[in-house]
Structure formats: structure tokens, C-alpha cells
Amino acid sequence: MKQWAKDRVVYQIYPRSFQDSNGDGIGDLPGILQRLPELKDLGVGIIWLSPVYPSPNADNGYDISDYCAINPEYGTMQDMEALLEKARELDIRILMDLVINHTSDEHPWFQKSRAREAGYEDYYIWRPARPDGGLPNNWTSFFAQDCWEYDQVRGEYYLHLFAKKQPDLNYANPRVLQEVEEIMRFWLDKGVAGFRCDVINVLYKTSLEDGEKRPFLRGLEHYLTQPGNHEILQKLHKDVLSQYDCFTVGETVFVTPKQGRELTDEARGELDTVFSFEHMEADQYLVKWLKRKFSVRRFGAALEKWQNALEWNTNYLENHDQPRSVSRFADDGAYWEQSAKMLCTMLLSLRGTPFIYQGEEIGMTNFDYSSIDQLDDVESKNVDALLREKHLPQWLRWKIIRPTSRDNARTPMQWDASANAGFTTGTPWLAVNRNYRRINVEAQRNDPFSVRSYYKEMIRIRSLSQTLRYGSFKLLEATGRLLVYERKYEGRHALVLLNFSARKVRAGYAGQVVIASSGRENYDGVLLPYEGIILNEGVKI
Ligand code: ISL
Ligand code: CA
């Protein structure tokens, strides 16, 4: 793995919601370009762009209809080149989102495949109905549906692990892999620095037999991290990735530490790093719809396991699929500011490359909508439909969907206190959170005590400290409220003390304060509500 990818901080941009430049209510590439200096100022060294390719937007760009072009809603290829150029000037590298498990059903490959055009028949996973007329198998999708859709043109069903407008590609067909290699070369040759690889451990379907009985994701055992998947990644690495100065992070659903180690083993040559999900279960049972109370103990246990499982981690608390961290793991009310800074202290002091999601650096919160009608997300809508089928009343459906919906993180970026938070002069595609007059970049930019300034300072401190970047990780405490860990490097160490509660907590350590989210310069053994502190050469007392 490249050293630059270890030393830099990544910032994820969800283009649709970042910055609109032409008043159509949709964020775009010129909008991003305009904001690059802002990100540079924050200390960002890498940007991950969620998909910007042409797409019918059944899943906001994760359903791609042309991999080597730019969605006209977002601009042109010239805009993309200008963005790369400006980023180069500022020494910011750009990662593209590589979504290759599925395409849009409007992609020309799918159009040709459904028409059985020569050479394209097997680009997707087609099956006839069962003799009894039933679906080809009993699998269920990630988005709360079955996995098969009947296509009138072809007279067969196609497999889709996600929405029905996202047919899965057939990786048993070597032509598909060649196409993917060409796409990767196209972008790397344009100067991108690598890829965030969407659901990259479900590409290869070993068999299409019925899945074991289970309430969700039936069929998973036939496609999760299969040997055939490892082979695909090795080939992409050998043929393409190894030829460039680039970095990859695989979004690997339900990944175990052992699989994570295999996927990132340099000797095997597959991926540089993976996103794991276990810490996201600190407030849920396996799937996000089954919420439980956030537990520091569970959170700490997941961190301890993953921080030590892999040679190098990627750390995140938010992305475009997850609710806002300050609303989820801490307090977005009375202790909003303390909470956001405490979470920042953690994110930037873990071992691995930190990923900040747009708006996280100003403490953006979950949306404040009052009904499902205000949502856009296909996943939320499918879940609502499923729960309705099961006769759940509306209030209960909303209770389940509201804290979990992916739209919580997709509300437009809050830039300033003007109309629509400075995101657009038109009507935003998704409503802006009403707290934008209080929570926005402009209000925080020049305030040395703001959440954003704290992020900036933490990024700076991390960049100066080998201990925080490369040190080993050791969990010292993960109790009801308190999370404490040690980072150690070449005989030096730092202690990170985090209070996940609205009460003062005794944490008996002493040392020199490197940074405290409260701004204080001395530590007296008691953490303030939602306070985060890093102590240099700290000791237990
Ligand atoms: O969001 C999730 C659960 O609610 C995840 O299961 C998510 O579907 C999974 O992490 C895969 O996510 C990625 O691929 C999807 C896309 O919708 C997500 O936005 C993307 O991050 C299909 O491309
Ligand atoms: Ca626009």
C-alpha cells in the first residue's frame, strides 16, 4: 500500500448534495471545484467522489448507465478534467467510486443482453422461471425485495442483489472482467488516484441454489467473499492496479477479520484496505432496521477487534448509507458541539486512514423531516413497502425508518445561513435540514472554537504525530460511558480518553494534554460531558 494513502485524510463527497453551481437544485462538478480550497484548508489530502457517471438515479448514481462519461446533471468530462487539474494543483488526489457488481438496466450492455445480441447474452445472470412457475431461487435482496425481475424482452428473469434497476453482472463471463479492466484504465489514465470499490465482495456467485432459511439476505452464503471473488480481485490488481500509483478501498459487506486480512494481504495482491461494518452494529442488530441502544462496550469491542486484525485500517463513522454520527453515537441536542468534537477526536486518532463524510466536519445532524413523503432513498421506500405488506401501522414504520434512512446523511451540505444553506439558489432535490442557520460552514470557518476548526486542528495534529498515524492500538477501557485507548510507537505513546455521556466521568489518567475538545490545557482526572482528550505519555493514576 502506498505511503501517501496512509498519511492523508480522505473526505467523501456525495456530489448530488455537495454544492450546486447552476441553480437546478442538484450538486455538480463545478460546485465541487469551487469548494476545493475549502477542503484544502481543512487539511484534506484525498477526495472520494460518490458516483458521477450517467445514471437514471434509481439508486442515486449507484446504478450506472455509462462508466466512462459524466452525468450531465453533474457537468461534462471537461468539468471532470478541470476538477482533476485543480485538485492536482492543490495536491489533493481523487478516488472514484467503482460500482461493478451491477449496472443500470438502462446500460447498453443490459439492453443488448436482454435482446440476446451476440456476445452479450451472458453479461448478466439470466434464468428461466422454475418448472412450477416460481422465481429461479429464494434469495432476497439488500433492499428488502426478492432478487429476481422478469424481463419481457428476453422472456427470462435476471438477478439483482440491490434494486430491480440494478441487474448484477455475470462474473462467470470473462468478457465482463475485461470490460471492467478497460473502465479502470480509462479513469487511472485520466489521473484519478484509485477507487472505492462498491460491494466488492459479492461479485462472484458460486451457485444459484436456494439459500438457507433466514429472515434477511437469503442466499448470502452463495456469493459472499467466494474464492471466485478473490480471483477476480487478484486479476484486477495484477492486470491494472499494480501498474499505477493508486489506492483501493473495498466496501466489503459482512466481512470478517480473517476475510479482511486475506483481501488486503499484499502477497495475494487484491485490495489495499477494506471498510468493515462491525462498529456500525454498536446500535443495531446486524441490519440497520433493528435498532438497539448504543453501547460503548460493543463499540469498543468492535474497534479492538478490527484495529488489531488488519495491518492497516480505514476508519469511518459516517457515509452516504449511514445516519449522522453525532445523532447516532452521541447527542445532537444540548451537547451537540461537544459530541461532534469528541467523535472527531476518536476518528482522527485511530490507526488507519480516516474518512470524513461531507458535513461531518461541521457536525451535521440527521434530517428533521416529519414523514416518509419527504424521503427519496430507494432503500427506505422499499422497506416501507415491505412493512406495509406486513401490516405495520404508519407511525411504527416511520419510527423504524426515521433513525435509519440513508437520507439522514444525504441532505444538502450546509454552507451558510442564506436560503437553502447556500447549497443552491433553486429548489434542492432533497430538503435542507432546518438547523442550517445554526450549523453551517460559514458560521464555523473563522471561529477558532468551532467543530470545523477542531477537525482542522485534529487533522494537523495527526499529520504531525507518528504515534497517532502509525502507533499500535490497545483498548484500555470500554465501559458504560468511557472509551480509552492507547497508541504506541517507537517507545512513545498517547492516550485517548472519550466520554460518551452527558455526565462527568472519572477517568484516572494523567499526562500532558495534546488536545482537548473542551479547549482546556490541563487534565484533572475527570472528563466533562462528551469530552475527548488526548494525553501525551499519559499514565494511569
Ligand atoms: O446501506 C446499507 C444498509 O442499509 C448497506 O447494506 C448498503 O446497501 C451496502 O453497504 C452496499 O452499499 C453500496 O452499494 C449499494 C448502494 O446503494 C450504496 O449506496 C453503496 O454504498 C448498491 O450499489
Ligand atoms: Ca447543478
Side-chain angles (χ1 to χ4, degrees), residues 436-505:
Y436 76 86
R437 285 191 195 82
R438 186 166 54 89
I439 303 177
N440 64 64
V441 174
E442 191 167 281
Q444 297 192 19
R445 196 185 291 116
N446 298 319
D447 170 1
F449 303 109
S450 69
V451 173
R452 186 181 180 280
S453 296
Y454 190 77
Y455 265 86
K456 196 171 157 177
E457 183 59 7
M458 265 308 299
I459 293 173
R460 198 182 66 87
I461 287 176
R462 184 178 182 280
S463 77
L464 296 175
S465 163
Q466 294 197 316
T467 310
L468 290 185
R469 290 206 309 286
Y470 313 133
S472 60
F473 174 97
K474 187 172 167 200
L475 186 71
L476 300 182
E477 291 189 53
T479 62
R481 308 194 188 100
L482 190 62
L483 188 67
V484 181
Y485 49 84
E486 178 194 72
R487 303 290 315 279
K488 200 172 195 168
Y489 186 72
E490 293 186 343
R492 312 197 50 173
H493 73 274
L495 290 183
V496 181
L497 277 48
L498 307 163
N499 179 2
F500 278 84
S501 83
R503 287 201 240 156
K504 288 187 180 176
V505 174

Side-chain angles (χ1 to χ4, degrees), residues 15-16 19-31 72-75 423-424:
R16 212 170 179 73
Q19 175 70 68
D20 178 21
S21 71
N22 62 353
D24 65 357
I26 298 171
D28 46 49
L29 295 177
E73 288 178 324
Y74 297 152
F423 164 68
T424 180

Side-chain angles (χ1 to χ4, degrees), residues 290-437:
L290 302 173
K291 277 279 176 213
R292 57 180 166 181
K293 199 170 170 314
F294 171 73
S295 145
V296 174
R297 195 183 304 274
R298 269 194 300 269
F299 199 78
L303 282 184
E304 181 175 38
K305 187 191 222 182
W306 281 93
Q307 285 279 292
N308 291 310
L310 304 184
E311 178 45 39
W312 194 254
N313 277 276
T314 52
N315 300 307
Y316 70 95
L317 297 176
E318 292 185 14
N319 60 40
H320 64 295
D321 291 335
Q322 302 289 342
R324 291 290 184 177
S325 59
V326 66
S327 302
R328 178 178 184 186
F329 302 132
D331 176 22
D332 64 6
Y335 292 103
W336 162 75
E337 186 170 329
Q338 289 87 337
S339 293
K341 291 179 183 174
M342 183 274 288
L343 291 171
C344 168
T345 314
M346 173 168 69
L347 181 63
L348 275 299
S349 67
L350 290 169
R351 180 182 160 83
T353 304
F355 279 64
I356 299 169
Y357 177 68
Q358 67 181 48
E360 188 173 3
E361 81 281 18
I362 55 167
M364 277 178 64
T365 63
N366 279 353
F367 62 59
D368 55 352
Y369 305 156
S370 52
S371 101
I372 183 108
D373 308 328
Q374 286 171 281
L375 297 186
D376 164 87
D377 177 23
V378 60
E379 181 187 68
S380 303
K381 287 182 173 166
N382 284 354
V383 167
D384 187 50
L386 182 81
L387 299 178
R388 208 165 31 212
E389 260 171 45
K390 306 236 183 276
H391 305 292
L392 263 72
Q394 197 184 356
W395 67 267
L396 188 52
R397 301 200 305 270
W398 183 236
K399 190 167 182 256
I400 294 173
I401 290 167
R402 187 195 158 116
T404 48
S405 171
R406 303 193 297 182
D407 284 341
N408 279 305
R410 298 179 181 184
T411 61
M413 181 69 188
Q414 295 165 203
W415 292 106
D416 58 42
S418 70
N420 292 314
F423 164 68
T424 180
T425 53
T427 308
W429 72 277
L430 187 68
V432 176
N433 193 313
R434 277 169 301 179
N435 65 21
Y436 76 86
R437 285 191 195 82

Side-chain angles (χ1 to χ4, degrees), residues 170-396:
N170 175 19
Y171 281 90
N173 178 354
R175 269 298 294 151
V176 170
L177 206 60
Q178 281 171 23
E179 299 267 19
V180 168
E181 291 191 348
E182 277 165 39
I183 292 164
M184 291 167 75
R185 284 195 198 97
F186 174 85
W187 286 106
L188 290 164
D189 288 339
K190 272 211 178 295
V192 311
F195 302 101
R196 173 270 186 185
C197 312
D198 192 63
V199 288
I200 203 68
N201 61 333
V202 304
L203 303 183
Y204 193 81
K205 283 78 181 174
T206 302
S207 96
L208 290 180
E209 269 153 48
D210 274 350
E212 288 160 14
K213 291 250 171 319
R214 63 158 105 212
F216 59 90
L217 288 176
R218 221 178 292 134
L220 196 66
E221 67 276 18
H222 296 300
Y223 60 78
L224 195 66
T225 324
Q226 301 291 299
N229 207 115
H230 286 293
E231 281 172 31
I232 292 169
L233 292 174
Q234 283 164 19
K235 188 159 162 51
L236 294 180
H237 186 269
K238 179 165 165 287
D239 294 354
V240 185
L241 296 165
S242 64
Q243 317 291 316
Y244 294 83
D245 175 22
C246 67
F247 165 65
T248 54
V249 50
E251 189 210 21
T252 44
V253 289
F254 301 105
V255 67
T256 64
K258 179 169 175 288
Q259 292 165 346
R261 273 194 297 276
E262 287 171 357
L263 289 160
T264 58
D265 178 353
E266 285 199 17
R268 294 170 62 111
E270 299 186 18
L271 296 164
D272 290 325
T273 57
V274 296
F275 285 134
S276 62
F277 284 75
E278 222 165 311
H279 60 304
M280 292 285 127
E281 286 170 28
D283 69 342
Q284 66 194 34
Y285 293 100
L286 283 172
V287 285
K288 55 160 51 159
W289 314 107
L290 302 173
K291 277 279 176 213
R292 57 180 166 181
K293 199 170 170 314
F294 171 73
S295 145
V296 174
R297 195 183 304 274
R298 269 194 300 269
F299 199 78
L303 282 184
E304 181 175 38
K305 187 191 222 182
W306 281 93
Q307 285 279 292
N308 291 310
L310 304 184
E311 178 45 39
W312 194 254
N313 277 276
T314 52
N315 300 307
Y316 70 95
L317 297 176
E318 292 185 14
N319 60 40
H320 64 295
D321 291 335
Q322 302 289 342
R324 291 290 184 177
S325 59
V326 66
S327 302
R328 178 178 184 186
F329 302 132
D331 176 22
D332 64 6
Y335 292 103
W336 162 75
E337 186 170 329
Q338 289 87 337
S339 293
K341 291 179 183 174
M342 183 274 288
L343 291 171
C344 168
T345 314
M346 173 168 69
L347 181 63
L348 275 299
S349 67
L350 290 169
R351 180 182 160 83
T353 304
F355 279 64
I356 299 169
Y357 177 68
Q358 67 181 48
E360 188 173 3
E361 81 281 18
I362 55 167
M364 277 178 64
T365 63
N366 279 353
F367 62 59
D368 55 352
Y369 305 156
S370 52
S371 101
I372 183 108
D373 308 328
Q374 286 171 281
L375 297 186
D376 164 87
D377 177 23
V378 60
E379 181 187 68
S380 303
K381 287 182 173 166
N382 284 354
V383 167
D384 187 50
L386 182 81
L387 299 178
R388 208 165 31 212
E389 260 171 45
K390 306 236 183 276
H391 305 292
L392 263 72
Q394 197 184 356
W395 67 267
L396 188 52

